[in-house]
Amino acid sequence: MTGATAPPPALSLRAALAELRAGPPGAVVEHDEPADRTRVADHFARAYAGVPARGVSRPEPAVLYTAVPGGPVLLGLYGDEERLRRWLPGLPERAAPETAARLVAEAVRPNAAPVAVSRPPCQEHRTTGARVDLSGLPVPVLTPRDAGPYLTAALVRAEDPATGRTALSAHRMLVVGRDRLTVWMVPGRQVKALYEQAVREGRPLPVTVNIGVPPAAMVASALNTRFLPDGLDKLAVAGALAGRPLAVAPALTQPVSALAEAEIVLEGYLDGSVADEALPGAEPRGSLPEFLGFDGGARPGLPVLTVTAVTHRSDPVFQAVIGPGREQSAVLGAAGALSAALSLRPVLPRAEGVRVRRLHFAAAGGGMLLLAVAVRKESAAADGGLAVLARELLERHPFVKLVVFTDDDVDVGCAEDLLWALVTRSNLGADATAWPRLPPVPMDPSQTPDWAAVRHGAERPPGRVSVDATTPYALRSRTARSFRPEAGLAATGHCR
């Protein structure tokens, strides 16, 4: 692969950075002053980050801190939805049930599957065995309250040799030793299922941890496996997003593949060993800033990943995210909208008269809590069909707190247009529906029992909510916009 034509931005972090550098000034910012790895996240948050890290609504630039020992460190690469769409030719312009289904259809085609290569860039430099020492990596400490240095933008690749199943997902990983990481696996993730099965059978689960991955892999990793065809590899979905297959290569010390274009790869295994999410000798307390903008809590007894090799490209770029900010919201939101669209397909016949035109996760909810759904009502029956969709979305997507339905003349990707629909096409006292039987989102402070007790005088949070901000079918002509958008603009456009 060495010496081949440079891959497109979808298939390489370096190619994505090169594309940004070739564009308008300001898309890539470099800081060459000496910087400690404990300070870069705070500097990025204060100078560049947007909602929900700070009350700023603007794209984030890609920022390279070139003078961090062991660096450079990259933050903000995905801090602009338009940037992602430009890099990923297979990403639907609007997430809807039919466009998500077409993407999956492309992913199951043989030409989307990952291809194995020899001499991959990610293995230009190799360290194995007793020489492995993670302290040489510029792993940021995001705040003084963090448990320690965390990997925040790394993808875990697992391949179960017994079943052939694969997993690809991002996890927060705390460096707790020269060759050890704790891994927080959110319930429901495929890698957690593979890990638990391996532990039950008394065998290790081999994995690679890929840092600085192709943009197509990053977005595909955030898709919900349960809504994909059984056995479909997320790397095949990444190939559909990129319009070309991703390159993989066998790891050196484990029977699992690595992303060939990754900047840095950690090879290792999970064998059932556990440790608290804390540095040796410390009690588990805080973890790191979560995607909603608040500090998270450390977890006891997390799986431990033992690293057997570290490989990297020449002059590797260490990519990280700060947690809250537009960057993580853009990735989670793009993948989440596709997952939500796929989950709706089985229930659409029961939502009579409703055509789902676009789904969009707002950055204000970290790309997960606030889902806006633009619909077209095709008959009077549609007035009652939205409740069917609301129940499906809230039951099958446990991080969705609020679903807002709008008409399809509203650009649900524009926060101001979404607010306009809420203000003019709903009366929240009557048009908001609480779903109290659904479990709360525990990382949201307003859904905790303490909050419910103080605010509502109740033991249980009031539940998740859907809002109908659509015009009743019989009254559509009375609320037509004076200046109507161009055909299709509200369903496919972006806030400007």
Side-chain angles (χ1 to χ4, degrees), residues 390-442:
R391 178 179 290 277
E392 178 70 12
L393 291 167
L394 291 168
E395 285 186 343
R396 304 195 71 181
H397 300 272
F399 282 97
V400 175
K401 175 185 180 181
L402 173 62
V403 179
V404 180
F405 294 100
T406 75
D407 298 296
D408 67 349
D409 62 346
V410 173
D411 183 354
V412 292
C414 178
E416 288 183 323
D417 213 24
L418 181 62
L419 281 172
W420 175 82
L422 276 169
V423 169
T424 66
R425 290 181 176 171
S426 73
N427 292 288
L428 292 180
D431 295 325
T433 301
W435 301 83
R437 297 184 180 277
L438 298 177
V441 181

Short mmCIF file of all heavy atoms in Angstrom, two decimals, residues 390-442:
data_model
loop_
_atom_site.label_atom_id
_atom_site.label_comp_id
_atom_site.label_asym_id
_atom_site.label_seq_id
_atom_site.Cartn_x
_atom_site.Cartn_y
_atom_site.Cartn_z
N ALA A 390 -43.59 8.17 17.86
CA ALA A 390 -42.97 8.62 19.10
C ALA A 390 -42.66 7.45 20.02
O ALA A 390 -41.55 7.36 20.57
CB ALA A 390 -43.88 9.62 19.81
N ARG A 391 -43.62 6.57 20.18
CA ARG A 391 -43.39 5.42 21.06
C ARG A 391 -42.23 4.57 20.54
O ARG A 391 -41.37 4.14 21.32
CB ARG A 391 -44.66 4.57 21.17
CG ARG A 391 -44.48 3.32 22.02
CD ARG A 391 -45.75 2.51 22.13
NE ARG A 391 -46.74 3.20 22.94
CZ ARG A 391 -46.78 3.15 24.26
NH1 ARG A 391 -45.86 2.47 24.93
NH2 ARG A 391 -47.73 3.79 24.92
N GLU A 392 -42.20 4.33 19.25
CA GLU A 392 -41.14 3.51 18.68
C GLU A 392 -39.77 4.15 18.92
O GLU A 392 -38.82 3.48 19.34
CB GLU A 392 -41.37 3.32 17.18
CG GLU A 392 -40.30 2.53 16.46
CD GLU A 392 -40.31 1.06 16.83
OE1 GLU A 392 -41.28 0.60 17.46
OE2 GLU A 392 -39.33 0.37 16.47
N LEU A 393 -39.66 5.44 18.67
CA LEU A 393 -38.37 6.12 18.81
C LEU A 393 -37.91 6.14 20.26
O LEU A 393 -36.74 5.90 20.57
CB LEU A 393 -38.47 7.54 18.26
CG LEU A 393 -38.62 7.62 16.74
CD1 LEU A 393 -39.02 9.03 16.32
CD2 LEU A 393 -37.33 7.20 16.04
N LEU A 394 -38.82 6.43 21.18
CA LEU A 394 -38.44 6.53 22.59
C LEU A 394 -38.16 5.16 23.20
O LEU A 394 -37.27 5.03 24.05
CB LEU A 394 -39.53 7.26 23.37
CG LEU A 394 -39.67 8.75 23.04
CD1 LEU A 394 -40.94 9.32 23.64
CD2 LEU A 394 -38.45 9.54 23.53
N GLU A 395 -38.88 4.15 22.79
CA GLU A 395 -38.66 2.82 23.35
C GLU A 395 -37.38 2.19 22.83
O GLU A 395 -36.67 1.51 23.58
CB GLU A 395 -39.84 1.90 23.04
CG GLU A 395 -41.09 2.18 23.88
CD GLU A 395 -42.18 1.16 23.64
OE1 GLU A 395 -42.12 0.45 22.61
OE2 GLU A 395 -43.11 1.09 24.47
N ARG A 396 -37.05 2.40 21.57
CA ARG A 396 -35.92 1.69 20.96
C ARG A 396 -34.63 2.49 20.98
O ARG A 396 -33.57 1.95 20.63
CB ARG A 396 -36.28 1.28 19.52
CG ARG A 396 -37.55 0.43 19.44
CD ARG A 396 -37.69 -0.26 18.12
NE ARG A 396 -36.71 -1.34 17.96
CZ ARG A 396 -36.60 -2.09 16.88
NH1 ARG A 396 -37.39 -1.86 15.84
NH2 ARG A 396 -35.70 -3.03 16.79
N HIS A 397 -34.69 3.74 21.39
CA HIS A 397 -33.49 4.58 21.45
C HIS A 397 -33.41 5.18 22.85
O HIS A 397 -33.95 6.26 23.12
CB HIS A 397 -33.54 5.67 20.38
CG HIS A 397 -33.62 5.11 18.99
ND1 HIS A 397 -32.50 4.77 18.26
CD2 HIS A 397 -34.69 4.78 18.22
CE1 HIS A 397 -32.88 4.27 17.10
NE2 HIS A 397 -34.20 4.27 17.05
N PRO A 398 -32.76 4.49 23.78
CA PRO A 398 -32.83 4.88 25.20
C PRO A 398 -32.20 6.21 25.53
O PRO A 398 -32.44 6.74 26.61
CB PRO A 398 -32.12 3.72 25.90
CG PRO A 398 -31.27 3.08 24.85
CD PRO A 398 -32.01 3.24 23.57
N PHE A 399 -31.38 6.78 24.63
CA PHE A 399 -30.78 8.08 24.91
C PHE A 399 -31.63 9.24 24.39
O PHE A 399 -31.32 10.40 24.64
CB PHE A 399 -29.37 8.17 24.32
CG PHE A 399 -28.34 7.47 25.15
CD1 PHE A 399 -27.94 6.19 24.84
CD2 PHE A 399 -27.77 8.08 26.26
CE1 PHE A 399 -26.99 5.52 25.60
CE2 PHE A 399 -26.82 7.44 27.03
CZ PHE A 399 -26.44 6.15 26.71
N VAL A 400 -32.68 8.95 23.64
CA VAL A 400 -33.54 10.02 23.14
C VAL A 400 -34.46 10.47 24.27
O VAL A 400 -35.26 9.69 24.78
CB VAL A 400 -34.36 9.56 21.92
CG1 VAL A 400 -35.33 10.66 21.50
CG2 VAL A 400 -33.44 9.21 20.76
N LYS A 401 -34.36 11.73 24.63
CA LYS A 401 -35.19 12.29 25.70
C LYS A 401 -36.41 13.02 25.16
O LYS A 401 -37.49 12.95 25.73
CB LYS A 401 -34.35 13.26 26.53
CG LYS A 401 -35.13 14.01 27.61
CD LYS A 401 -34.24 15.04 28.30
CE LYS A 401 -34.99 15.80 29.38
NZ LYS A 401 -34.13 16.81 30.03
N LEU A 402 -36.24 13.73 24.05
CA LEU A 402 -37.29 14.57 23.50
C LEU A 402 -37.38 14.38 21.99
O LEU A 402 -36.37 14.52 21.29
CB LEU A 402 -37.02 16.05 23.82
CG LEU A 402 -37.93 17.10 23.19
CD1 LEU A 402 -39.36 16.92 23.65
CD2 LEU A 402 -37.43 18.51 23.51
N VAL A 403 -38.57 14.03 21.51
CA VAL A 403 -38.84 13.94 20.07
C VAL A 403 -39.79 15.08 19.70
O VAL A 403 -40.85 15.24 20.32
CB VAL A 403 -39.49 12.60 19.69
CG1 VAL A 403 -39.78 12.56 18.19
CG2 VAL A 403 -38.58 11.44 20.08
N VAL A 404 -39.41 15.88 18.71
CA VAL A 404 -40.24 16.97 18.24
C VAL A 404 -40.61 16.70 16.78
O VAL A 404 -39.73 16.56 15.93
CB VAL A 404 -39.52 18.33 18.34
CG1 VAL A 404 -40.42 19.45 17.83
CG2 VAL A 404 -39.09 18.61 19.78
N PHE A 405 -41.89 16.61 16.50
CA PHE A 405 -42.37 16.43 15.14
C PHE A 405 -42.72 17.79 14.54
O PHE A 405 -43.39 18.61 15.19
CB PHE A 405 -43.61 15.53 15.12
CG PHE A 405 -43.33 14.12 15.54
CD1 PHE A 405 -43.62 13.69 16.82
CD2 PHE A 405 -42.78 13.22 14.65
CE1 PHE A 405 -43.37 12.39 17.22
CE2 PHE A 405 -42.52 11.90 15.03
CZ PHE A 405 -42.81 11.50 16.33
N THR A 406 -42.28 18.02 13.31
CA THR A 406 -42.61 19.25 12.59
C THR A 406 -43.15 18.89 11.21
O THR A 406 -43.00 17.76 10.74
CB THR A 406 -41.39 20.17 12.41
OG1 THR A 406 -40.53 19.62 11.39
CG2 THR A 406 -40.62 20.33 13.71
N ASP A 407 -43.74 19.86 10.55
CA ASP A 407 -44.08 19.70 9.14
C ASP A 407 -42.81 19.79 8.31
O ASP A 407 -41.77 20.28 8.76
CB ASP A 407 -45.07 20.79 8.72
CG ASP A 407 -46.38 20.70 9.50
OD1 ASP A 407 -47.08 19.70 9.36
OD2 ASP A 407 -46.66 21.65 10.27
N ASP A 408 -42.90 19.32 7.05
CA ASP A 408 -41.68 19.27 6.26
C ASP A 408 -41.33 20.58 5.57
O ASP A 408 -40.41 20.63 4.75
CB ASP A 408 -41.73 18.12 5.24
CG ASP A 408 -42.77 18.32 4.16
OD1 ASP A 408 -43.60 19.23 4.28
OD2 ASP A 408 -42.74 17.56 3.17
N ASP A 409 -42.03 21.68 5.91
CA ASP A 409 -41.56 22.99 5.48
C ASP A 409 -40.61 23.59 6.52
O ASP A 409 -40.18 24.73 6.37
CB ASP A 409 -42.73 23.94 5.21
CG ASP A 409 -43.57 24.21 6.45
OD1 ASP A 409 -43.42 23.47 7.45
OD2 ASP A 409 -44.39 25.16 6.42
N VAL A 410 -40.30 22.83 7.56
CA VAL A 410 -39.39 23.28 8.61
C VAL A 410 -38.04 22.58 8.42
O VAL A 410 -37.99 21.36 8.20
CB VAL A 410 -39.96 22.94 10.01
CG1 VAL A 410 -38.94 23.24 11.11
CG2 VAL A 410 -41.24 23.73 10.24
N ASP A 411 -36.97 23.34 8.48
CA ASP A 411 -35.63 22.77 8.40
C ASP A 411 -35.24 22.30 9.79
O ASP A 411 -34.80 23.09 10.62
CB ASP A 411 -34.63 23.80 7.88
CG ASP A 411 -33.23 23.23 7.71
OD1 ASP A 411 -33.00 22.06 8.11
OD2 ASP A 411 -32.35 23.94 7.20
N VAL A 412 -35.41 21.02 10.07
CA VAL A 412 -35.14 20.52 11.41
C VAL A 412 -33.65 20.54 11.75
O VAL A 412 -33.27 20.35 12.91
CB VAL A 412 -35.71 19.09 11.60
CG1 VAL A 412 -37.22 19.12 11.58
CG2 VAL A 412 -35.17 18.13 10.54
N GLY A 413 -32.79 20.78 10.76
CA GLY A 413 -31.37 20.95 11.04
C GLY A 413 -31.01 22.34 11.48
O GLY A 413 -29.86 22.60 11.82
N CYS A 414 -31.96 23.23 11.51
CA CYS A 414 -31.74 24.63 11.93
C CYS A 414 -32.46 24.84 13.26
O CYS A 414 -33.69 24.76 13.33
CB CYS A 414 -32.27 25.58 10.87
SG CYS A 414 -32.09 27.33 11.31
N ALA A 415 -31.70 25.12 14.30
CA ALA A 415 -32.28 25.24 15.64
C ALA A 415 -33.33 26.35 15.70
O ALA A 415 -34.38 26.19 16.35
CB ALA A 415 -31.18 25.51 16.67
N GLU A 416 -33.11 27.47 15.02
CA GLU A 416 -34.08 28.57 15.06
C GLU A 416 -35.37 28.19 14.35
O GLU A 416 -36.47 28.55 14.79
CB GLU A 416 -33.47 29.82 14.44
CG GLU A 416 -32.40 30.46 15.33
CD GLU A 416 -31.87 31.74 14.73
OE1 GLU A 416 -31.72 31.80 13.49
OE2 GLU A 416 -31.59 32.67 15.49
N ASP A 417 -35.28 27.46 13.24
CA ASP A 417 -36.49 27.05 12.54
C ASP A 417 -37.26 26.02 13.38
O ASP A 417 -38.50 26.03 13.40
CB ASP A 417 -36.13 26.45 11.18
CG ASP A 417 -37.20 26.75 10.11
OD1 ASP A 417 -37.94 27.74 10.28
OD2 ASP A 417 -37.29 25.99 9.14
N LEU A 418 -36.53 25.16 14.06
CA LEU A 418 -37.18 24.19 14.94
C LEU A 418 -37.91 24.91 16.08
O LEU A 418 -39.05 24.59 16.42
CB LEU A 418 -36.15 23.22 15.50
CG LEU A 418 -36.66 22.12 16.42
CD1 LEU A 418 -37.64 21.22 15.69
CD2 LEU A 418 -35.49 21.31 16.98
N LEU A 419 -37.28 25.93 16.65
CA LEU A 419 -37.93 26.72 17.71
C LEU A 419 -39.15 27.45 17.17
O LEU A 419 -40.17 27.58 17.85
CB LEU A 419 -36.93 27.71 18.31
CG LEU A 419 -35.94 27.14 19.32
CD1 LEU A 419 -34.90 28.19 19.69
CD2 LEU A 419 -36.66 26.65 20.57
N TRP A 420 -39.06 27.93 15.93
CA TRP A 420 -40.21 28.62 15.31
C TRP A 420 -41.41 27.67 15.24
O TRP A 420 -42.54 28.06 15.55
CB TRP A 420 -39.82 29.10 13.92
CG TRP A 420 -40.97 29.70 13.15
CD1 TRP A 420 -41.45 30.98 13.24
CD2 TRP A 420 -41.80 29.03 12.19
NE1 TRP A 420 -42.53 31.15 12.40
CE2 TRP A 420 -42.76 29.97 11.74
CE3 TRP A 420 -41.82 27.74 11.67
CZ2 TRP A 420 -43.72 29.65 10.79
CZ3 TRP A 420 -42.77 27.41 10.73
CH2 TRP A 420 -43.71 28.38 10.29
N ALA A 421 -41.16 26.43 14.85
CA ALA A 421 -42.26 25.47 14.78
C ALA A 421 -42.82 25.19 16.17
O ALA A 421 -44.04 25.11 16.35
CB ALA A 421 -41.77 24.17 14.14
N LEU A 422 -41.95 25.07 17.16
CA LEU A 422 -42.42 24.83 18.52
C LEU A 422 -43.28 25.99 19.03
O LEU A 422 -44.29 25.79 19.70
CB LEU A 422 -41.22 24.63 19.46
CG LEU A 422 -40.63 23.23 19.53
CD1 LEU A 422 -39.31 23.26 20.28
CD2 LEU A 422 -41.59 22.28 20.23
N VAL A 423 -42.88 27.20 18.69
CA VAL A 423 -43.57 28.39 19.20
C VAL A 423 -44.90 28.62 18.48
O VAL A 423 -45.90 29.02 19.09
CB VAL A 423 -42.66 29.63 19.07
CG1 VAL A 423 -43.44 30.90 19.35
CG2 VAL A 423 -41.49 29.50 20.03
N THR A 424 -44.93 28.37 17.17
CA THR A 424 -46.11 28.74 16.39
C THR A 424 -47.03 27.58 16.04
O THR A 424 -48.17 27.80 15.64
CB THR A 424 -45.69 29.43 15.08
OG1 THR A 424 -45.00 28.50 14.25
CG2 THR A 424 -44.80 30.63 15.36
N ARG A 425 -46.56 26.35 16.15
CA ARG A 425 -47.39 25.21 15.73
C ARG A 425 -47.61 24.20 16.86
O ARG A 425 -47.97 23.05 16.60
CB ARG A 425 -46.76 24.52 14.51
CG ARG A 425 -46.85 25.39 13.26
CD ARG A 425 -46.26 24.70 12.04
NE ARG A 425 -46.45 25.52 10.83
CZ ARG A 425 -45.89 25.26 9.66
NH1 ARG A 425 -45.09 24.21 9.53
NH2 ARG A 425 -46.11 26.03 8.61
N SER A 426 -47.37 24.63 18.08
CA SER A 426 -47.70 23.76 19.21
C SER A 426 -48.07 24.61 20.41
O SER A 426 -47.64 25.76 20.54
CB SER A 426 -46.51 22.84 19.57
OG SER A 426 -45.48 23.58 20.20
N ASN A 427 -48.89 24.03 21.25
CA ASN A 427 -49.18 24.57 22.58
C ASN A 427 -48.73 23.49 23.55
O ASN A 427 -49.38 22.45 23.68
CB ASN A 427 -50.67 24.86 22.74
CG ASN A 427 -51.11 26.02 21.86
OD1 ASN A 427 -50.79 27.16 22.13
ND2 ASN A 427 -51.85 25.70 20.79
N LEU A 428 -47.60 23.73 24.21
CA LEU A 428 -46.94 22.66 24.93
C LEU A 428 -47.81 22.04 26.01
O LEU A 428 -47.68 20.85 26.32
CB LEU A 428 -45.61 23.15 25.51
CG LEU A 428 -44.54 23.49 24.47
CD1 LEU A 428 -43.28 23.99 25.14
CD2 LEU A 428 -44.22 22.29 23.59
N GLY A 429 -48.70 22.83 26.60
CA GLY A 429 -49.57 22.27 27.62
C GLY A 429 -50.45 21.16 27.11
O GLY A 429 -50.86 20.26 27.86
N ALA A 430 -50.78 21.19 25.81
CA ALA A 430 -51.66 20.18 25.24
C ALA A 430 -50.95 19.27 24.24
O ALA A 430 -51.37 18.12 24.04
CB ALA A 430 -52.84 20.87 24.54
N ASP A 431 -49.90 19.77 23.60
CA ASP A 431 -49.28 19.05 22.50
C ASP A 431 -48.02 18.28 22.91
O ASP A 431 -47.38 17.65 22.07
CB ASP A 431 -48.95 20.01 21.36
CG ASP A 431 -50.20 20.60 20.75
OD1 ASP A 431 -51.21 19.87 20.68
OD2 ASP A 431 -50.18 21.79 20.36
N ALA A 432 -47.64 18.36 24.18
CA ALA A 432 -46.52 17.57 24.68
C ALA A 432 -47.07 16.34 25.40
O ALA A 432 -47.97 16.44 26.22
CB ALA A 432 -45.67 18.41 25.64
N THR A 433 -46.51 15.18 25.08
CA THR A 433 -46.94 13.92 25.68
C THR A 433 -45.80 13.33 26.48
O THR A 433 -44.70 13.11 25.95
CB THR A 433 -47.36 12.91 24.60
OG1 THR A 433 -48.43 13.47 23.84
CG2 THR A 433 -47.81 11.60 25.22
N ALA A 434 -46.03 13.09 27.77
CA ALA A 434 -45.02 12.44 28.61
C ALA A 434 -45.17 10.92 28.49
O ALA A 434 -46.28 10.40 28.37
CB ALA A 434 -45.17 12.88 30.06
N TRP A 435 -44.04 10.23 28.57
CA TRP A 435 -44.01 8.77 28.51
C TRP A 435 -43.36 8.28 29.81
O TRP A 435 -42.19 7.87 29.83
CB TRP A 435 -43.23 8.31 27.28
CG TRP A 435 -43.80 8.82 25.99
CD1 TRP A 435 -43.58 10.04 25.42
CD2 TRP A 435 -44.71 8.15 25.13
NE1 TRP A 435 -44.29 10.18 24.25
CE2 TRP A 435 -44.99 9.01 24.04
CE3 TRP A 435 -45.31 6.89 25.14
CZ2 TRP A 435 -45.85 8.67 23.00
CZ3 TRP A 435 -46.16 6.54 24.10
CH2 TRP A 435 -46.42 7.42 23.05
N PRO A 436 -44.08 8.31 30.90
CA PRO A 436 -43.47 8.09 32.22
C PRO A 436 -42.98 6.67 32.47
O PRO A 436 -42.18 6.46 33.39
CB PRO A 436 -44.59 8.47 33.20
CG PRO A 436 -45.85 8.24 32.42
CD PRO A 436 -45.51 8.60 31.00
N ARG A 437 -43.43 5.70 31.72
CA ARG A 437 -43.01 4.32 31.97
C ARG A 437 -41.65 4.00 31.36
O ARG A 437 -41.08 2.94 31.64
CB ARG A 437 -44.06 3.35 31.43
CG ARG A 437 -45.42 3.47 32.12
CD ARG A 437 -46.39 2.41 31.61
NE ARG A 437 -47.68 2.52 32.26
CZ ARG A 437 -47.97 2.00 33.44
NH1 ARG A 437 -47.05 1.32 34.10
NH2 ARG A 437 -49.17 2.16 33.97
N LEU A 438 -41.13 4.89 30.53
CA LEU A 438 -39.85 4.62 29.89
C LEU A 438 -38.72 5.01 30.84
O LEU A 438 -38.81 5.99 31.57
CB LEU A 438 -39.74 5.40 28.59
CG LEU A 438 -40.77 5.04 27.52
CD1 LEU A 438 -40.61 5.93 26.30
CD2 LEU A 438 -40.65 3.58 27.13
N PRO A 439 -37.63 4.26 30.85
CA PRO A 439 -36.52 4.57 31.77
C PRO A 439 -35.88 5.90 31.42
O PRO A 439 -35.81 6.28 30.24
CB PRO A 439 -35.56 3.40 31.57
CG PRO A 439 -35.88 2.85 30.22
CD PRO A 439 -37.36 3.05 30.04
N PRO A 440 -35.39 6.64 32.42
CA PRO A 440 -34.74 7.93 32.16
C PRO A 440 -33.35 7.74 31.58
O PRO A 440 -32.79 6.63 31.56
CB PRO A 440 -34.68 8.56 33.56
CG PRO A 440 -34.59 7.38 34.48
CD PRO A 440 -35.44 6.31 33.85
N VAL A 441 -32.78 8.84 31.11
CA VAL A 441 -31.40 8.87 30.65
C VAL A 441 -30.55 9.30 31.84
O VAL A 441 -30.59 10.47 32.23
CB VAL A 441 -31.22 9.84 29.47
CG1 VAL A 441 -29.77 9.85 28.99
CG2 VAL A 441 -32.16 9.47 28.33
N PRO A 442 -29.80 8.41 32.46
CA PRO A 442 -29.17 8.74 33.75
C PRO A 442 -28.11 9.83 33.67
O PRO A 442 -27.83 10.48 34.68
CB PRO A 442 -28.57 7.40 34.19
CG PRO A 442 -28.45 6.59 32.95
CD PRO A 442 -29.57 7.01 32.06
#
